[in-house]
């Protein structure tokens, strides 16, 4: 099972673009990359998922280079409400839900 | 559409006492998960159900933890007896049968357990 490495914490300011990079050097061919967001006293919430290149939805973009050994979650124009913990996970699409959660990145947005 | 419902939200018990947590998943979601989350860490899977069948309980400490999902809808997780180290947040999640590999899981708010 692939293991991920993320920064423990990051700070940014309202209105800025925030990029959180996740390293997954041992990613396997069948692995997808998934990002979740978690606010205090709430369960995690799915943000975005991708396999390669770039994926964009209404909330974020996910950039995955060709070697897939890392990925970057991009949050455009953050606000104070984006302060949360962000988890990067890799999961084998053929191994039935084997998602391994790390400690995540605590993102703090300042006014 | 209602999300995943969990109760209670908070529970304080003394060690060696039993405790139970209840979860009602999103309607139509046949896959249900129970996770344990310690402070500052990511969730750890305890058990996964497909309908009423527990298909992955390899991480469930079966000497004191048990779970059931009798009708393939709501589920109960029980600890008996509770130990101090069981203090954590217990999360329930569900995923749609259209999501073949469970990558998009919908989580409830969790139950914060404190064992004194």
């Amino acid at each position: 099972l692939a293991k991920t490495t993320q920064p423990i914490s990051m700070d940014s300011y309202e209105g800025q673009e925030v990029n959180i990079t996740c390293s997954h050097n041992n990613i396997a061919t069948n692995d997808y990359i998934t990002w979740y967001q978690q606010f205090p006293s709430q369960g995690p919430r799915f943000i975005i998922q991708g396999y390669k290149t770039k994926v964009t939805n209404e909330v974020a973009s996910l950039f995955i280079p060709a070697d897939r050994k890392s990925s970057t979650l991009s949050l455009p124009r953050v606000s104070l409400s984006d302060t949360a913990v962000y988890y990067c996970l890799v999961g084998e699409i053929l191994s039935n839900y084997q998602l391994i959660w790390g400690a995540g990145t605590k993102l703090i947005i300042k006014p | 559409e209602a999300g995943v419902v969990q109760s209670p939200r908070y529970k304080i018990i003394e060690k060696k006492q039993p405790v139970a947590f209840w979860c009602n998943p999103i309607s139509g979601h046949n896959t249900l998960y129970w996770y344990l989350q310690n402070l500052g860490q990511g969730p750890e899977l305890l058990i996964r159900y497909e309908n009423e069948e527990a298909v992955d309980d390899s991480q469930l400490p079966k000497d004191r933890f048990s779970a059931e999902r009798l009708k393939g809808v709501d589920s109960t997780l029980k600890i008996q007896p509770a130990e101090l180290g069981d203090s954590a947040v217990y999360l329930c999640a569900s995923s749609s049968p259209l999501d073949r590999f469970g990558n998009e899981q919908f989580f409830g708010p969790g139950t914060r357990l404190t064992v004194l």
Side-chain angles (χ1 to χ4, degrees):
Chain A
L1 297 172
K3 179 180 178 180
T4 61
T5 302
Q6 303 174 238
I8 294 174
S9 64
M10 293 179 63
D11 292 350
S12 188
Y13 293 90
E14 284 190 293
Q16 299 295 306
E17 177 185 77
V18 171
N19 296 311
I20 305 175
T21 296
C22 178
S23 172
H24 27 80
N25 291 321
N26 297 323
I27 192 168
T29 302
N30 295 328
D31 283 345
Y32 267 76
I33 300 158
T34 310
W35 286 80
Y36 280 78
Q37 173 192 57
Q38 186 174 26
F39 297 114
S41 299
Q42 294 187 24
R45 182 176 73 105
F46 174 89
I47 301 176
I48 199 167
Q49 179 183 99
Y51 183 79
K52 61 180 179 181
T53 63
K54 176 183 175 182
V55 179
T56 297
N57 62 22
E58 65 277 7
V59 176
S61 294
L62 178 59
F63 298 92
I64 306 169
D67 66 5
R68 304 200 326 122
K69 293 183 181 300
S70 66
S71 59
T72 299
L73 175 72
S74 181
L75 304 172
R77 300 186 58 80
V78 294
S79 64
L80 296 176
S81 63
D82 291 314
T83 294
V85 177
Y86 292 82
Y87 294 95
C88 165
L89 303 94
V90 293
E92 297 181 19
I93 62 173
L94 300 180
S95 70
N96 296 328
Y97 315 86
Q98 295 294 320
L99 296 178
I100 305 299
W101 298 72
T105 296
K106 183 172 177 57
L107 175 65
I108 297 174
I109 306 301
K110 302 176 182 178
Chain B
E1 178 183 288
V4 175
V5 179
Q6 290 188 248
S7 69
R9 289 296 312 276
Y10 304 92
K11 188 74 176 178
I12 300 174
I13 61 171
E14 294 190 347
K15 63 180 181 181
K16 301 185 181 180
Q17 295 299 306
V19 64
F21 314 122
W22 178 80
C23 172
N24 188 259
I26 291 173
S27 177
H29 282 194
N30 62 325
T31 306
L32 184 145
Y33 316 74
W34 282 102
Y35 288 89
L36 174 157
Q37 185 173 28
N38 288 305
L39 187 64
Q41 299 183 26
E44 301 171 33
L45 182 67
L46 291 172
I47 189 168
R48 173 172 66 89
Y49 281 93
E50 293 289 341
N51 299 304
E52 63 274 8
E53 181 182 359
V55 295
D56 183 359
D57 62 357
S58 57
Q59 302 303 312
L60 189 72
K62 298 182 183 63
D63 56 336
R64 297 184 300 108
F65 286 65
S66 64
E68 61 183 15
R69 193 184 184 199
L70 295 177
K71 296 183 179 179
V73 180
D74 56 348
S75 175
T76 301
L77 177 69
K78 298 178 181 177
I79 308 175
Q80 182 172 9
E83 298 179 351
L84 295 176
D86 296 330
S87 295
V89 174
Y90 292 82
L91 294 163
C92 178
S94 67
S95 61
S96 166
L98 300 178
D99 177 15
R100 291 180 60 200
F101 305 106
N103 288 316
E104 185 172 0
Q105 299 179 19
F106 294 81
F107 284 80
T111 297
R112 181 176 296 278
L113 173 67
T114 301
V115 182
L116 303 175

